[in-house]
């Protein structure tokens, strides 16, 4: 195992990167370490432990803004927010169980991987909530971008760029986030017994309706049976779920309207507080696949294509899938084998549009196949130039996304 | 305002360049005569004017690609231009530059209701997108006040917002994909109809990049079902402070209205005179708060907001009874700019963002500045998200008054930064705020941004002279100056 450098201050972080650059010692960036099994395996000489950059430095509920060290545990952030009835609206996912990690997820890790949960369809992704950051680039320079206010077009939006860059551009040490009021009431309408295609169509109708659905997912029967939520695991059939959030009377009215709208399709049910929360946590964290070791693809595609893609892949592969984002996010599990059937998955995604990320697979498989979709040549070249503009020596998480990047 | 010195060689080759571009787009789509060029000499910030060397109006992506490749090859600068409504001089021409207009890119390719998205050309006007899907009950959410005219490509380039951005987000939160052409002519596509894409977030980076990274040739936006009901509250207050506390109270109560706008006394009086919206003339400030959603929700929230306003000492409060009244409440706000134009020969729109809590402090300081500089100011404010639009009223015909106005504007923006805000919330840096960038960013911060520019356009031919106060050559920016090499802090634990 590689040695670890653990800077305690920003100056030390700069020094650490200076050292890495001067002798080209590649570093692997780690916050809490809960996501080390994500992405391509990094061949680093040293681990750069950022855990010292932790703690909430500024939280102003009335400004809907929170600033914290990048390695602040997500749990700490969520506890502070929940104290004030607020939340990170993008519903950051926790893949610890999925990846078999005991480490704690940190804010910086969630941002670096742009991991958003079911509310993505309404509230946006992690990338839509980063207002500003301070980071040390691969040039060993401490720099900042963005600010602490929501409306800001001063300079390029490097917040978007850093979110989802998997630590390959800079080591963030402080981040400012947009936070939002938590809903007063949450309920989930369940529709039982739809096949995948009809479920995706129904979720689309729900999203096109005026009922302001904040999450829409579909579990085929076998996966519904694996849920820990009573109404779901007892259904004995597929379960399609629509979440409604807001103030009490509005939630009640919208649930009623949704149930009426879908009554002709089959039996309805409703999940209230705790079960609703538990259900969406399962969907968010890919819990239906946490108990096995299969390869897992996370496929983001045009929502109406979701069921078609799964049907097409089902013709040649033995796979299991469920849908989030009204069909726009497919979780697909299949035997890891040597290549996690990457060619078939990529070909299918190319036909239906979107991106497939190999979210879970043994390290040798992740080293062998494209974990992130292969890019068009011009985009790949741009990616390389951008990487070089931040990290010319390639010392920050190089290879995590693409060879050399 | 200092622009990069024109390249004499380029200027001397003007006729050849016109012919070269004409061969690509057809002669009819290249403008070289003074009268035609004059129409392009400024954007919505008319204080800055410059006649472009040439204007070219390509008709499709391939032509854009060939125009850019041609210009790259001949070392000619290019300034993209949408509808020219920008308020920071982003589309200000260069004397030795070709202005590339997207006016012919005016088609809506596809409205895909199943995927709740629309694919349009960049020259389509913002409002035209919503109109095209209105009968199906859908709309495109970001609604800049210029939405009748401004182009969606310009919206992407500026990351424009509108009065409903508080709840529905800015352009960047409502985009799914773009096609764009890099300065070397390479065509790339990023995003699509899916929510997220892996790889670096080029879509996010391009949004708000002010035409400096590439020319956008196609845009895929997210569309939403229209909210079933909307009502607006019009509330009057005896002080800016009370209005500010009401804004904070609404947010603290966990309510995110569809829109939350503030106008101060001078703005209220200007618009009342202009369009008779029925605003209370005795108020020091008014708030317009829009709530949308299911009937029960709108009713309940309107009641809650009314209660909050009462505890903050509102001197009047009225909920719109019908659609006509709601529209009337908004009419005043939406007419604020033209109304300012009516009471003064010229007005200058500022666009800083501040933390909401600093509102009354900032407004007080602005009125002090107004006295110091002897210039009247009317304030309209996207209060919900802290985006302030002071309108400085002046007369450009009075010698020195424009300069005084600009100086005062600079003071206001510095003030925004000083209280924890930023230089521009939605109008962009352009040339206008370029030289103030140092107020917010260090040289290191700015150089990293410029390196991003270099990754897209190493020759710095696309819209140069905007956003960055100092031009550095890409080769110089690329060099690394790292000392050290010592094993860092050897006394710290390593495992
Ligand atoms: C009365 C009035 C009200 C306004 N209200 C608002 C408001 O409420 N909110 C708000 O955010 N703004 C507002 N604006 C500002 C302006 O309308 C927006 O910035 C708008 O997005 C500009 O669009 P445009 O098509 O006019 O762009 P232009 O002014 O033509 O160009 C703006 C910038 O975008 C670049 N550009 C344009 N098209 C492309 C393209 N296809 N590819 C690459 N780069 C491109 C240009 O180079 C330039 O840098 C207002 C302006 C006016 C005059």
């Amino acid at each position: 195992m590689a040695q670890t450098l653990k800077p305690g201050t920003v100056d030390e972080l700069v020094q650490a990167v200076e050292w890495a650059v001067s002798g080209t010692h590649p570093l692997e960036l780690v916050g809490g370490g809960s996501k080390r099994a994500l992405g391509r395996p990094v061949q680093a000489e040293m681990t750069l432990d950022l855990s010292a950059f932790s703690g909430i430095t500024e939280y102003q509920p009335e400004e809907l803004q929170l600033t914290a060290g990048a390695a602040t545990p997500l749990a700490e952030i969520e506890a502070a927010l929940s104290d004030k009835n607020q939340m990170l609206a993008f519903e950051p996912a926790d893949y610890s169980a999925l990846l078999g990690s005991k480490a704690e997820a940190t804010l910086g890790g969630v941002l670096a991987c742009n991991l958003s949960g079911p509310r993505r369809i309404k509230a946006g992704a992690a990338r839509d909530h980063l207002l500003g950051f301070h980071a040390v680039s691969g040039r060993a320079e401490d720099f900042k971008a963005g600010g602490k206010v929501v409306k800001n077009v001063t300079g390029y939006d490097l917040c978007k760029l850093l979110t989802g860059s998997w630590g390959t551009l800079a080591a963030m040490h402080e981040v400012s986030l947009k936070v939002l009021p938590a809903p007063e009431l949450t309920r989930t309408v369940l529709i039982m017994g739809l096949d995948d295609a009809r479920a995706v169509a129904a979720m689309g109708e729900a999203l096109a309706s005026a009922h302001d659905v904040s999450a829409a997912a579909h579990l085929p029967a076998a996966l519904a049976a694996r849920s820990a939520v009573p109404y779901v695991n007892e259904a004995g059939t597929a379960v399609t779920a629509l979440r409604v959030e807001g103030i009490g009377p509005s939630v009640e009215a919208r649930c009623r309207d949704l149930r009426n709208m879908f009554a002709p399709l089959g039996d309805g049910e409703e999940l209230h507080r705790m079960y609703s929360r538990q259900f969406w946590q399962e969907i968010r964290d890919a819990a239906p696949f946490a108990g096995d070791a299969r390869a897992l693809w996370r496929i983001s595609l045009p929502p109406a294509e979701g069921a078609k893609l799964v049907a097409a892949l089902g013709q040649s592969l033995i796979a299991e899938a469920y849908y989030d984002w009204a069909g726009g996010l497919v979780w697909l599990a299949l035997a890891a084998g040597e290549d996690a059937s990457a060619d078939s998955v990529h070909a299918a995604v190319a036909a239906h549009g979107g991106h497939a990320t190999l979210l879970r697979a043994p390290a040798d498989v992740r080293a062998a196949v494209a974990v992130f979709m292969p890019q068009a040549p011009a985009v790949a070249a741009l990616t390389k130039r951008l990487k070089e503009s931040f990290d010319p020596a390639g010392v920050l998480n190089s290879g995590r996304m693409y060879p050399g990047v | 305002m200092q622009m990069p010195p024109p390249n004499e060689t380029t200027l001397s080759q003007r006729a050849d360049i016109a012919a070269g571009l004409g061969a690509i787009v057809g002669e009819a789509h290249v403008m070289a005569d003074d009268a035609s060029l004059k129409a392009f000499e400024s954007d919505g910030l008319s204080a800055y004017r410059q006649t472009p060397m040439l204007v070219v109006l390509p008709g499709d992506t391939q032509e854009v690609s060939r125009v850019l490749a041609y210009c790259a090859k001949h070392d000619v600068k290019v300034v993209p231009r949408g509808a020219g409504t920008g308020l920071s001089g982003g589309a200000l021409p260069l004397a030795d530059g070709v202005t590339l207009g997207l006016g012919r890119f005016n088609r809506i390719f596809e409205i895909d209701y199943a995927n709740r998205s629309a694919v349009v050309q960049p020259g389509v006007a913002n409002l035209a997108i919503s109109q095209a899907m209105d009968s199906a009950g859908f709309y495109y959410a970001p609604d800049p006040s210029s939405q009748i005219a401004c182009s969606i490509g310009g919206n992407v380039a500026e990351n424009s917002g509108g009065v409903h951005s508080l709840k529905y987000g800015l352009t960047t939160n409502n985009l799914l994909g773009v096609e764009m052409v890099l300065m070397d002519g390479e065509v790339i596509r990023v995003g699509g109809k899916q929510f997220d894409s892996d790889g670096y977030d080029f879509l996010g980076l391009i949004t708000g990049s002010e035409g400096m990274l590439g020319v956008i040739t196609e845009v895929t936006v997210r569309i939403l079902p229209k909210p079933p009901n909307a009502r607006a509250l019009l509330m009057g207050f005896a002080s800016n402070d009370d209005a500010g506390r009401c804004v904070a109270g609404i947010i603290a109560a966990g309510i995110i209205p569809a829109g939350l706008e503030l106008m101060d006394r001078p703005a209220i009086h200007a618009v009342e005179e202009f369009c008779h919206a029925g605003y209370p003339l005795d108020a020091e400030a008014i708030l317009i708060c829009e709530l949308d959603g299911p009937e029960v929700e709108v009713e309940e929230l309107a009641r809650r907001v009314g209660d909050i306003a009462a505890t903050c000492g509102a001197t009047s409060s009225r909920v719109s009874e019908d659609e006509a009244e709601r529209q009337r409440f908004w009419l005043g706000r939406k007419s604020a700019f033209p109304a300012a134009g009516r009471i003064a020969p010229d007005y200058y729109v500022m666009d800083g963002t501040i933390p909401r809590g600093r509102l009354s402090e900032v407004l007080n300081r602005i009125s002090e500045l107004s006295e110091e500089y002897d210039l009247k100011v009317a304030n309209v404010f996207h209060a919900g998200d802290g985006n302030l639009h002071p309108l400085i009223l002046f007369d450009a015909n009075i010698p020195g008054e424009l300069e005084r106005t600009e100086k005062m504007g600079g003071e206001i923006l510095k003030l925004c930064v000083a209280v924890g805000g930023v230089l521009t919330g939605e109008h962009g840096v352009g040339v206008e705020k370029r030289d103030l960038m140092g107020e917010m960013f260090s040289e290191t911060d700015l150089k990293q941004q410029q390196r991003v520019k270099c990754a897209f356009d190493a020759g710095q031919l696309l819209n140069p002279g905007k956003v960055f106060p100092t031009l550095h050559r890409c080769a110089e920016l690329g060099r690394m100056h790292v000392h050290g090499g010592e094993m860092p802090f050897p006394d710290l634990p390593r495992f």
Side-chain angles (χ1 to χ4, degrees), chain B residues 43 80-87 90-91 102 122 144-146 150-151 153-155 157-158 160-161 210-211 214-216 337 426-427 463:
Chain B
D43 61 7
R81 181 184 175 99
T85 68
L87 290 174
L102 279 304
S145 306
S146 52
C150 64
S151 73
N155 292 175
E158 300 286 10
S160 302
E210 306 198 18
V215 175
I216 295 147
F337 292 7
E426 57 183 13
H427 293 167
N463 217 3

Side-chain angles (χ1 to χ4, degrees), chain B residues 69-137:
Chain B
Y70 176 93
C71 290
K73 183 165 170 221
H74 295 89
D75 206 22
V76 178
K77 296 167 192 146
V78 176
V79 177
R81 181 184 175 99
T85 68
L87 290 174
S88 54
L92 180 72
L94 298 170
D96 58 345
V98 171
T99 288
L100 188 158
L102 279 304
R104 293 171 66 206
F105 283 72
N106 55 8
R107 287 177 50 208
I108 294 178
F109 284 136
E110 186 194 3
I111 302 177
D112 179 351
Y113 294 109
N115 286 307
R116 295 165 296 283
S117 58
V119 183
V120 305
Q121 287 193 307
V124 174
N126 171 296
L127 186 61
I129 301 175
S130 291
Q131 282 168 344
M133 55 190 73
D134 186 64
S135 58

Side-chain angles (χ1 to χ4, degrees), chain A residues 151 153, chain B residues 42-45 78-92 100-102 105 121-126 143-147 149-163 165 170-171 179-181 206 209-219 333-334 337-338 347 349 351 382 387 389 425-428 430 462-463 466-467:
Chain A
K151 265 184 129 175
V153 293
Chain B
S42 77
D43 61 7
L45 179 64
V78 176
V79 177
R81 181 184 175 99
T85 68
L87 290 174
S88 54
L92 180 72
L100 188 158
L102 279 304
F105 283 72
Q121 287 193 307
V124 174
N126 171 296
D143 57 344
S145 306
S146 52
Q147 69 181 148
C150 64
S151 73
I152 186 72
N155 292 175
V156 175
E158 300 286 10
N159 189 18
S160 302
V163 291
S165 290
L170 309 165
T171 304
E179 174 193 77
M180 77 170 202
V181 187
I206 291 155
S209 66
E210 306 198 18
M212 297 176 73
L213 301 183
V215 175
I216 295 147
T217 47
E218 190 189 287
V219 183
R333 168 61 185 86
K334 293 202 167 165
F337 292 7
Y347 66 96
V349 186
D351 170 47
H382 302 299
N387 188 196
H389 291 315
E426 57 183 13
H427 293 167
L462 198 57
N463 217 3
K466 316 286 168 74
V467 179

Side-chain angles (χ1 to χ4, degrees), chain A residues 11 33 66 73 89 93-94 97 145 257 282 314 338 362 372 381:
Chain A
D11 279 345
L66 178 143
D94 180 357
D257 289 350
E282 290 181 353
E338 281 174 11
F372 301 96

Side-chain angles (χ1 to χ4, degrees), chain A residues 4-5 12 19 22 63 120-121 127-128 139 144 151 153 156 168 184 250 300 303-304 355 357 385 402, chain B residues 115 173 196 198-201 222 297 304 353 356-357 424 426 440 445 449 455 478-479 485 489 492 494:
Chain A
T4 297
L5 277 174
E12 289 181 353
W19 169 78
S22 62
E63 295 292 344
R120 197 289 165 235
I121 57 173
R127 53 91 93 168
D128 295 297
R139 300 174 167 270
K144 68 167 184 304
K151 265 184 129 175
V153 293
Y156 297 144
T168 62
E184 281 175 21
S250 169
S300 164
H355 282 254
T357 310
R385 294 199 296 273
Y402 310 100
Chain B
N115 286 307
N173 313 112
D196 285 329
D198 63 22
Y200 291 148
D201 187 359
R222 223 184 136 183
E297 176 168 332
R304 291 189 195 180
T353 304
R356 298 170 191 84
T424 170
E426 57 183 13
M440 233 178 103
D445 304 337
Q449 296 203 22
R479 258 176 246 133
F489 41 96
L492 276 175
R494 261 175 285 274

